[in-house]
Amino acid sequence: MKENKHIEAHKRQHLRACQLKQLDILRAIDAICKEHGITYWIDSGTLLGAVRHGGFIPWDDDIDIVMPEAELERFKQVAPAALPATMMLQTPESVPESKEPIVKVRDLNSLYIEPGDDFSADYPKGLFVDIFPFVGYPSASRSWVKRITRMLSRSRSILHKPHRYSLRAIAEWGWFGAKYLLARSLWAITCACRPKSHYLSYTTTTNGYGIMHRRESIFPLTTITFEGTEWPSPHNSDEYLRDLYGEYMTIPPPEQRHIHAVFMLEQLSDTP
């Protein structure tokens, strides 16, 4: 218990410095997107922080942005050469050891340990900005979409976590493999039968809550102030955040204000 309190105190002591370094990463991403005409907007807790706090949620330790899938592919092509030498682009293809399905831009002179990080794998573990691809969603009921995306997200997570050889591991592979294939088939049928012109959301394997946004709540994009700077944001932030969180203006009680990281440090060495 005493050790846990020490770790929590360390995280809170370094939180603001880590937030500011993540803001530097966002600035680098924004510069690339402006130069190449790539569309993105701030998302999730970052957008919530902008609306409710004018910046970071006081206990939040990450930045989330979204790009339409085709725009993210363009970003992945130009970012490796355009990013500062102190940063790197991480993709599932470039760093498969991390088991992360999300694209990140990471700082290389910091440390951010997530609960699922694998210390036996040699991949960068610096502070980052998450970049989620958005894709078209079929005009189906939210309950149906939630059921399928939750099945896909949960199954993928189980199938990609480290396994030791055991009867339980074999059973998990069989059960969740079958669920994953079933969910993919149902999703393919849904997409074939329903138009995909009205809704957008995260890719199905990263959308465990079944979130859907109407296109009109996103486009045309506007801007919002986050940490004293204007950033791209959805057209209707209120509707967008209600899709994500429901009654989002209610601040959670202290016991629910969690820093995500297990451990974080804004700088590893004095060398840039």
Side-chain angles (χ1 to χ4, degrees):
M1 182 65 71
K2 187 175 181 180
E3 183 180 351
N4 288 341
K5 287 184 178 179
H6 178 74
I7 292 173
E8 285 300 313
H10 169 90
K11 290 193 293 185
R12 295 192 181 280
Q13 179 185 353
H14 290 267
L15 176 59
R16 185 56 180 166
C18 289
Q19 289 176 339
L20 294 177
K21 180 159 276 193
Q22 289 166 330
L23 198 59
D24 287 339
I25 301 172
L26 181 58
R27 290 191 185 100
I29 293 171
D30 180 74
I32 294 171
C33 290
K34 285 178 177 174
E35 181 179 352
H36 295 275
I38 295 172
T39 300
Y40 84 94
W41 60 92
I42 62 172
D43 181 56
S44 301
T46 308
L47 180 62
L48 175 57
V51 171
R52 198 170 67 189
H53 304 275
F56 282 97
I57 297 171
W59 55 92
D60 198 11
D61 60 345
D62 64 4
I63 290 178
D64 300 307
I65 67 172
V66 157
M67 293 181 188
E69 189 173 43
E71 300 289 275
L72 179 55
E73 290 304 313
R74 291 178 57 213
F75 182 81
K76 287 161 63 175
Q77 293 296 316
V78 300
L83 284 168
T86 55
M87 300 176 194
M88 67 161 288
L89 179 71
Q90 175 183 320
T91 70
E93 298 78 27
S94 65
V95 189
E97 302 91 339
S98 75
K99 306 297 182 183
E100 273 277 5
I102 302 164
V103 174
K104 300 174 183 285
V105 173
R106 282 198 189 265
D107 173 76
L108 297 174
N109 188 27
S110 57
L111 186 64
Y112 185 101
I113 305 303
E114 299 183 84
D117 271 325
D118 181 1
F119 278 92
S120 66
D122 184 20
Y123 59 85
K125 300 177 180 72
L127 291 161
F128 58 84
V129 167
D130 277 327
I131 309 176
F132 293 90
F134 255 36
V135 297
Y137 263 47
S139 297
S141 72
R142 290 181 182 267
S143 61
W144 176 249
V145 168
K146 185 174 183 178
R147 184 178 304 175
I148 296 179
T149 55
R150 178 177 288 177
M151 193 185 304
L152 282 166
S153 181
R154 171 67 173 161
S155 299
R156 188 206 176 279
S157 177
I158 294 295
L159 293 171
H160 284 78
K161 76 176 186 179
H163 286 83
R164 292 189 176 91
Y165 291 105
S166 66
L167 289 176
R168 177 174 179 173
I170 293 170
E172 280 187 347
W173 271 91
W175 175 252
F176 286 101
K179 287 185 71 172
Y180 183 76
L181 291 174
L182 173 62
R184 283 195 64 176
S185 299
L186 291 172
W187 187 250
I189 292 169
T190 304
C191 290
C193 297
R194 299 279 184 168
K196 296 171 72 175
S197 55
H198 299 300
Y199 294 96
L200 292 167
S201 193
Y202 313 99
T203 54
T204 52
T205 51
T206 59
N207 190 12
Y209 294 102
I211 304 299
M212 291 198 302
H213 299 287
R214 293 188 312 117
R215 286 182 183 269
E216 303 89 81
S217 72
I218 301 173
F219 300 111
L221 294 177
T222 183
T223 60
I224 194 168
T225 302
F226 179 82
E227 295 291 336
T229 301
E230 294 292 309
W231 306 94
S233 73
H235 181 73
N236 188 336
S237 293
D238 177 68
E239 182 178 340
Y240 192 95
L241 288 171
R242 289 185 185 279
D243 288 338
L244 284 168
Y245 303 113
E247 182 45 64
Y248 62 88
M249 290 301 288
T250 301
I251 297 178
E255 63 271 17
Q256 295 179 19
R257 302 173 192 174
H258 300 302
I259 295 174
H260 301 129
V262 175
F263 184 86
M264 57 185 176
L265 192 63
E266 70 275 9
Q267 189 163 309
L268 292 177
S269 71
D270 294 332
T271 304

